[in-house]
């Protein structure tokens, strides 16, 4: 399983764009990159998933360079309600029984007024 | 789509009793379900993986006789904490991996969690 490294914490202000970068140097060919958001005392919520280049949905964008050794979650115009912990995960073993997710420490994002 | 529920959301019990937590995938079939525990301000720790109709696979260091997992159907998994002690107090979260359909990506969908407090 590819280990992920991301900043422990980040601060931002309302209305700003926030970019959280995650490194996953040992990512394998068939692995996907997934980002989750977690609020206190709640289960993680799926944000976005990608394999390469750029993926965009209604809440975020995910940028993955050609070598796939890192990825960047981009949150446009954050609000106070985006204060949460963000986890970057590499999903391995899609097609076999070894599939599982291992959570790293996550990035604690604080959005200030 | 892709909603996972847990019941109960919060439970308080006396030391020595057993507690059962249910995890259900409400609008999709879950080929695999996972159980995590999370301590305050810490990350999620995977406890076990279960596939419907087969025995759960436990992570290293997790006592399978203490944390009994049953995955009886494609929509239900249960975690039973047997003879609970105060050190078992934690936030337990389940997740389900579904068959990809419209609105269901091939990833894990998480339940809201269960706060267990053992007195």
């Amino acid at each position: 399983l590819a280990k992920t490294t991301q900043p422990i914490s980040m601060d931002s202000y309302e209305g700003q764009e926030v970019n959280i970068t995650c490194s996953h140097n040992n990512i394998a060919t068939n692995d996907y990159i997934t980002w989750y958001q977690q609020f206190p005392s709640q289960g993680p919520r799926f944000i976005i998933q990608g394999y390469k280049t750029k993926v965009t949905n209604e809440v975020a964008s995910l940028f993955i360079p050609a070598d796939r050794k890192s990825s960047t979650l981009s949150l446009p115009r954050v609000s106070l309600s985006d204060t949460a912990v963000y986890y970057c995960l590499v999903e391995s073993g899609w097609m076999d029984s070894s599939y599982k997710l291992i959570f790293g420490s996550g990035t604690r994002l604080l959005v200030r007024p | 789509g892709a909603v996972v529920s847990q019941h109960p959301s919060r439970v308080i019990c006396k030391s020595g009793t057993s507690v059962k937590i249910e995890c259900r995938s409400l609008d999709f079939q879950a080929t695999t379900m996972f159980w995590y525990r999370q301590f305050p301000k810490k990350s999620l720790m995977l406890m076990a993986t279960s596939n419907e109709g087969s025995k759960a696979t436990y992570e290293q260091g997790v006592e399978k006789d203490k944390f009994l997992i049953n995955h009886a159907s494609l929509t239900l998994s249960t975690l039973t904490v047997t003879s609970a002690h105060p050190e078992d107090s934690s936030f337990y979260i389940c997740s389900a991996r579904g068959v990809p359909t419209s609105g269901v990506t091939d990833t894990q969908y998480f339940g809201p969690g269960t706060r267990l407090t053992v007195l």
Side-chain angles (χ1 to χ4, degrees), chain B residues 90-113:
Chain B
S90 188
F91 191 53
Y92 292 88
I93 306 170
C94 74
S95 70
R97 184 186 183 196
V99 176
T101 60
S102 176
V104 181
T105 306
D106 192 4
T107 185
Q108 290 188 28
Y109 293 91
F110 288 81

Side-chain angles (χ1 to χ4, degrees), chain A residues 7-77:
Chain A
I8 294 175
S9 64
M10 292 182 69
D11 279 19
S12 184
Y13 290 92
E14 279 191 293
Q16 289 189 334
E17 178 184 78
V18 171
N19 296 308
I20 307 174
T21 297
C22 175
S23 66
H24 26 79
N25 292 317
N26 297 325
I27 191 168
T29 302
N30 296 326
D31 292 345
Y32 279 71
I33 299 149
T34 309
W35 286 78
Y36 289 88
Q37 175 194 55
Q38 186 182 29
F39 297 111
S41 296
Q42 294 186 27
R45 183 177 75 103
F46 172 85
I47 300 175
I48 198 165
Q49 183 184 70
Y51 182 79
K52 62 180 180 180
T53 63
K54 177 183 176 182
V55 179
T56 298
N57 61 23
E58 61 275 9
V59 298
S61 294
L62 178 60
F63 299 92
I64 305 169
D67 66 5
R68 304 198 329 120
K69 293 183 183 298
S70 67
S71 60
T72 299
L73 174 72
S74 181
L75 304 172
R77 298 180 299 282

Side-chain angles (χ1 to χ4, degrees), chain B residues 76-96:
Chain B
L76 172 65
S77 176
T78 59
L79 168 68
T80 302
V81 183
T82 62
S83 186
H85 291 283
E87 58 266 29
D88 298 323
S89 298
S90 188
F91 191 53
Y92 292 88
I93 306 170
C94 74
S95 70

